[in-house]
Amino acid sequence: MKAESVLAKAALSQLPRILGLGDRRKGSRTWGCFDRHYWHYRLHDWSNARYQEAAWLMALAYSSPMPENRWRGLPALRQWALAAVDFWAKSQNRDGSFNEVYPRERGFCATAFSAYCVCETLLLLKVDPPPQVARTAKWLADHDNPAVANQRAASCAALMSASALMSAPRFRAIAEDRMELLLKDYRANGYFPEYGGFDIGYTTVTLSCLAGYLTRSPSEGVQEVCAQAVGQLEPQIAPNGQFDYSRASRKTQYVYPRAFARMRSPVIDRIAAGVDEDLISSPAWMDDRYVIPLATDYLLAALELGG
Amino acid sequence: MLMTSARLIIMRGYLLTLGRLSIFTRLLRWFLLKLLVRGKKEKYVPSARFFSMNELED
């Protein structure tokens, strides 16, 4: 089976499970909330904003023309994606940030990644942004996390998408400046720093954000570093997609495939082989929290290969 | 009824103090069942509200 098809199936097979995480009852107070622990089990006193990233997966499934995709054009999917965006906007802190682990956390990670997904959803579905998007972009412009490259890369991608969505060149300029700092860090260390060390899995998260950034803003510097980092990872990933994560700084057990697909790296066939043989961490192996971004990246990788 | 920070603090306080005695945990369970399940038009069932293909036809 072709890599494109393997990755698309691995992503789309998780969609019914992810839809089950969401409150799909129109008129409910928590309509569009994808944190089932909050709206359904009522175990938490806050909703984790990262669950709202399901919006992008639904929007991609709604709009992607691929033979494996039986969800394309279903109106309910578009409606749920926009409901997820609405709930994201409702759960925003006053300063524009979002919470992931506890109320009023103002997490950089949750704000950067969820904003990136929301902006891409709205761009894909051609919907005007709610006012909360501008507030979040401003918060991201004012905050940074240099110790964690993947979060910094997500904030660059989010600012670039927000700039495209709102035709706001100011956010584009901030994204470009921050991206320069990220590339400088890479060139100085020879890797993208993750709490002071190298981590294969999180490097692929960073590269995925860089791939997203490149779709909005072609940049020779980003392209060059992407190619270099992908080349650096290639010898570390076995033909069946497995890799040694025991010495990585964050012990991440999965890889995001999008950048490998974009760079047409042979690693994409290795990941597909590992997924096909059920040997490596794929979306189906993830918990409810991680299945959403990983499934989204698998679908984006399939689309990169198809495009 | 959603969980709020105030409800969470009250419940934790109750369970970490009075909850040492099983009668109080049984009392809380009786109260929660009354509040969320018994006599409710839409009962709380944890294993419900997963996705169903029928929803795509609505």
Side-chain angles (χ1 to χ4, degrees):
Chain A
M1 206 187 300
K2 279 171 66 183
E4 179 189 341
S5 182
V6 171
L7 297 171
K9 279 186 179 167
L12 293 167
S13 67
Q14 297 307 305
L15 197 52
R17 169 183 165 195
I18 292 167
L19 291 173
L21 297 176
D23 184 356
R24 304 172 309 285
R25 299 163 304 162
K26 215 171 179 179
S28 150
R29 238 172 95 191
T30 49
W31 152 250
C33 174
F34 275 74
D35 185 348
R36 193 174 160 92
H37 297 91
Y38 174 69
W39 71 266
H40 188 54
Y41 298 138
R42 304 162 201 200
L43 296 172
H44 297 164
D45 55 339
W46 88 102
S47 167
N48 178 348
R50 296 225 49 190
Y51 282 102
Q52 300 314 113
E53 292 168 24
W56 195 12
L57 181 64
M58 289 185 280
L60 285 165
Y62 172 78
S63 56
S64 301
M66 39 178 43
E68 299 81 5
N69 186 9
R70 63 185 163 115
W71 304 92
R72 190 184 178 206
L74 293 172
L77 211 56
R78 186 178 194 276
Q79 200 179 36
W80 292 329
L82 294 174
V85 171
D86 282 349
F87 190 83
W88 173 84
K90 275 202 308 198
S91 63
Q92 186 186 56
N93 293 319
R94 274 189 202 168
D95 60 3
S97 65
F98 287 85
N99 309 318
E100 178 176 5
V101 187
Y102 45 86
R104 298 185 186 163
E105 176 197 1
R106 298 178 174 88
F108 185 76
C109 178
T111 307
F113 279 99
S114 68
Y116 174 36
C117 292
V118 160
C119 291
E120 287 296 327
T121 301
L122 294 170
L123 284 162
L124 197 58
L125 299 180
K126 298 182 173 58
V127 173
D128 289 337
Q132 287 90 342
V133 171
R135 212 179 301 157
T136 297
K138 189 184 173 309
W139 190 90
L140 282 174
D142 294 340
H143 294 78
D144 192 5
N145 190 1
V148 190
N150 80 87
Q151 295 178 14
R152 193 177 228 190
S155 73
C156 293
L159 286 165
M160 195 50 88
S161 303
S163 164
L165 185 62
M166 299 183 293
S167 308
R170 179 185 158 230
F171 295 128
R172 184 189 179 90
I174 294 165
E176 285 170 350
D177 290 348
R178 191 172 297 174
M179 183 55 79
E180 272 311 309
L181 296 174
L182 187 73
L183 301 185
K184 202 174 143 193
D185 265 0
Y186 176 81
R187 290 180 186 122
N189 294 298
Y191 59 86
F192 291 110
E194 289 291 333
Y195 289 116
F198 168 71
D199 186 283
I200 296 184
Y202 273 111
T203 297
T204 63
V205 177
T206 302
L207 287 171
S208 172
C209 294
L210 262 52
Y213 181 96
L214 280 170
T215 61
R216 301 266 161 235
S217 170
S219 148
E220 269 183 36
V222 177
Q223 182 76 25
E224 186 193 306
V225 165
C226 265
Q228 208 178 326
V230 163
Q232 198 180 11
L233 295 180
E234 279 172 0
Q236 301 187 52
I237 298 176
N240 61 7
Q242 291 178 328
F243 62 95
D244 178 14
Y245 56 84
S246 63
R247 281 170 297 160
S249 82
R250 300 183 70 181
K251 308 272 185 289
T252 314
Q253 292 171 273
Y254 54 81
V255 291
Y256 274 34
R258 184 183 185 181
F260 296 114
R262 188 179 178 92
M263 306 305 286
R264 298 291 186 268
S265 161
V267 168
I268 202 70
D269 290 320
R270 301 180 204 166
I271 295 172
V275 172
D276 202 26
E277 291 172 41
D278 208 17
L279 290 174
I280 60 167
S281 295
S282 66
W285 290 26
M286 296 292 110
D287 64 8
D288 289 346
R289 156 74 182 72
Y290 282 89
V291 67
I292 297 169
L294 193 61
T296 305
D297 203 76
Y298 267 57
L299 195 52
L300 286 165
L303 289 166
E304 294 272 6
L305 292 171
Chain B
M1 182 186 278
L2 293 169
M3 182 60 84
T4 62
S5 300
R7 283 183 191 132
L8 193 69
I9 290 165
I10 292 166
M11 202 166 138
R12 278 285 189 279
Y14 176 90
L15 287 166
L16 292 173
T17 52
L18 297 172
R20 287 164 198 263
L21 302 170
S22 67
I23 186 170
F24 289 105
T25 52
R26 286 204 302 273
L27 198 62
L28 178 68
R29 188 182 173 77
W30 171 85
F31 174 71
L32 289 175
L33 279 169
K34 189 174 153 56
L35 191 73
L36 301 169
V37 182
R38 288 194 196 113
K40 286 278 163 189
K41 203 191 276 178
E42 209 180 342
K43 290 183 175 62
Y44 168 72
V45 182
S47 58
R49 292 185 186 158
F50 291 110
F51 172 69
S52 151
M53 289 304 284
N54 301 336
E55 293 177 52
L56 297 173
E57 290 154 20
D58 293 347

